[in-house]
């Protein structure tokens, strides 16, 4: 298994980790719980391909990474993804089978960040929010789907974080993240 702190895990390693630990993730969120698994998934080159950021990095230099427990007005997200200094995605992680419990938190963080994006996960279910906060629109993947079709997930992720789509979603009803609804149809 890759180091749990700063290196990348292969899909095979992530699958094995999920198989061995997922029952533990029902009881534990922080530390070696489901959050640790999520951080490994974020760093997987086959899925998110993000780097774990440093607090010392200047805001304008943050790109393609995530930071843990970023304090924001109105609460504290478990993590924040920085596509670049402008495209910022708050992340909320809950215990396995408790994703629904975190919906109010991710909506609150999206409001605090004034962002149309947000990710809510319990390790198994991954919700990618988009559009107006009050609409609660999201696209859902399971970790099994991500493992089974990493290319499909990666295509979705690359489109989801495309700066052009992010900015267009502020102005146009049917462009940007709105077109993501096609991924809901299998």
């Amino acid at each position: 298994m890759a180091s749990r702190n700063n290196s990348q895990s292969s899909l095979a390693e992530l699958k094995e980790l999920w198989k061995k630990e997922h029952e533990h993730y029902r009881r534990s969120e922080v530390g070696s719980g489901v959050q640790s698994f999520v951080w490994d998934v974020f760093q997987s080159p086959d899925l998110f391909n993000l780097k774990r950021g440093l607090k010392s990095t200047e805001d304008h230099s943050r790109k393609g990474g995530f930071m843990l427990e970023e304090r924001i007005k109105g609460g504290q997200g478990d993590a924040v993804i920085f596509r670049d200094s402008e495209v910022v995605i708050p992340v909320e992680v809950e215990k396995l089978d408790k994703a629904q419990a975190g919906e109010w938190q991710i909506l609150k963080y999206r409001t605090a960040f004034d962002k149309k994006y947000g990710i809510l996960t319990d390790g198994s279910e991954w919700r990618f929010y988009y559009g107006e906060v009050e609409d609660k629109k999201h696209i859902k993947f399971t970790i099994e789907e991500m493992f089974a079709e990493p290319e499909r997930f990666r295509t979705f992720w690359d489109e989801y974080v495309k700066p052009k789509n992010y900015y267009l979603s502020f102005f146009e009803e049917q462009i940007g993240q709105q077109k993501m609804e096609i991924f809901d149809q299998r």
Side-chain angles (χ1 to χ4, degrees), residues 9 17 28 34 42 60 63 65 68 77 84 86 91 96 106 111 130 144 146 153 166 171 176:
S9 298
L17 179 62
S28 180
V34 70
F42 280 168
H60 67 275
K63 183 175 182 175
L68 305 182
D84 58 34
E86 296 295 319
V91 179
L96 182 61
I106 195 63
T111 300
Y130 64 95
E144 289 82 11
M146 293 161 66
F153 174 77
Y166 178 83
F171 302 107

Side-chain angles (χ1 to χ4, degrees), residues 19-166:
K19 182 179 172 185
K20 287 167 53 175
E21 296 290 313
H22 78 275
E23 285 301 320
H24 172 67
Y25 299 155
R26 292 182 200 286
R27 299 180 303 278
S28 180
E29 182 179 321
V30 297
S32 62
V34 70
Q35 283 184 353
S36 181
F37 174 74
V38 169
W39 311 153
D40 286 349
V41 171
F42 280 168
Q43 294 176 85
S44 169
D46 297 310
L47 299 173
F48 289 88
N49 198 30
L50 298 170
K51 294 183 179 15
R52 193 162 173 176
L54 301 172
K55 299 277 186 189
S56 60
T57 304
E58 305 239 357
D59 286 351
H60 67 275
S61 298
R62 292 182 176 159
K63 183 175 182 175
F66 69 99
M67 293 188 42
L68 305 182
E69 300 178 347
E70 191 65 20
R71 270 209 194 279
I72 57 175
K73 178 181 159 191
Q76 178 174 325
D78 292 322
V80 179
I81 294 173
F82 294 90
R83 169 71 173 108
D84 58 34
S85 61
E86 296 295 319
V87 180
V88 178
I89 305 169
V91 179
E92 176 62 23
V93 181
E94 295 291 332
K95 291 179 190 172
L96 182 61
D97 296 329
K98 302 289 184 192
Q100 185 62 38
E103 187 172 51
W104 70 272
Q105 287 176 285
I106 195 63
L107 298 176
K108 182 171 120 177
Y109 301 150
R110 289 174 62 205
T111 300
F113 270 110
D114 193 27
K115 301 297 178 191
K116 300 204 177 230
Y117 287 36
I119 298 174
L120 171 62
T121 184
D122 64 1
S124 177
E125 179 181 317
W126 293 74
R127 296 182 188 184
F128 297 86
Y129 287 85
Y130 64 95
E132 297 301 322
V133 172
E134 61 273 4
D135 293 337
K136 299 182 184 180
K137 290 182 181 180
H138 64 275
I139 294 159
K140 192 182 310 183
F141 280 87
T142 66
I143 195 66
E144 289 82 11
E145 290 169 333
M146 293 161 66
F147 287 159
E149 298 182 82
E151 299 85 9
R152 180 177 180 273
F153 174 77
R154 188 55 196 246
T155 299
F156 161 78
W157 176 247
D158 289 343
E159 191 70 18
Y160 183 75
V161 296
K162 197 177 278 182
K164 178 179 100 174
N165 291 339
Y166 178 83

